[in-house]
Amino acid sequence: MGRRDRHGRGVRGPLIPAEHPAATSRSEAFDDEVLDAFERLLPRWGTQLRAVDLVVVEMPDVERLGAAADPAADPVPLAYAEPARGSRPARIVVHRHPVLRRSRDRTERVALLEDLMVEQVADLLGLAPEQVDPRWDVDDD
């Protein structure tokens, strides 16, 4: 027997069509913003970045933080880059909740993600962030 609502009309369909932007969850929207920030660097660095995996996790791994804690560094990292090892490709890991807490709105979050991507790509390539993107950190105080 199918489940029905209290008025006996049956289960309703989705409230928002799948193609509408509001149908995207907040975590999916965040993933898209991370991907957009990364893809912004591809026209210039695509060859070097084609094997880089992007990973979004909710929070940093506490055990990993304890092993690599730097007293001068930010206590909760927003992202980090890992070079390729063996058969595992290089990857950039972004911590969703710390980034969300650090930014007030979407515009600030997108700018922060763009800066993070530049920093992490620079780390992977062994370059200064300014070499990866000349616009990096221009507007910061």
Side-chain angles (χ1 to χ4, degrees):
M1 183 156 139
R3 187 151 195 252
R4 302 182 80 72
D5 69 1
R6 67 185 182 142
H7 298 290
R9 289 187 284 255
V11 180
R12 292 184 180 187
L15 295 176
I16 301 172
E19 60 276 356
H20 193 279
T24 305
S25 72
R26 288 184 295 206
S27 64
E28 289 172 334
F30 184 85
D31 293 349
D32 290 343
E33 291 166 356
V34 169
L35 187 58
D36 290 345
F38 182 75
E39 287 177 342
R40 189 177 71 79
L41 300 174
L42 291 180
R44 185 169 180 192
W45 301 100
T47 305
Q48 293 91 329
L49 300 177
R50 71 173 167 247
V52 174
D53 284 343
L54 290 178
V55 180
V56 175
V57 295
E58 297 300 309
M59 290 292 291
D61 181 6
V62 176
E63 292 176 13
R64 186 181 189 291
L65 280 176
D70 177 7
D74 190 1
V76 180
L78 303 177
Y80 64 91
E82 291 183 343
R85 287 201 182 108
S87 63
R88 186 185 57 76
R91 67 185 196 159
I92 296 173
V93 179
V94 179
H95 302 126
R96 180 174 172 253
H97 285 288
V99 170
L100 291 174
R101 289 188 149 208
R102 188 71 57 87
S103 52
R104 288 176 279 178
D105 57 21
R106 183 181 186 282
T107 303
E108 195 171 291
R109 183 174 57 252
V110 166
L112 177 59
L113 286 169
E114 287 177 356
D115 281 350
L116 284 173
M117 281 301 130
V118 170
E119 292 168 358
Q120 302 316 313
V121 166
D123 190 32
L124 283 176
L125 299 178
L127 301 170
E130 297 84 7
Q131 291 174 288
V132 173
D133 183 4
R135 296 181 321 148
W136 180 81
D137 209 26
V138 169
D139 296 330
D140 292 347
D141 296 348

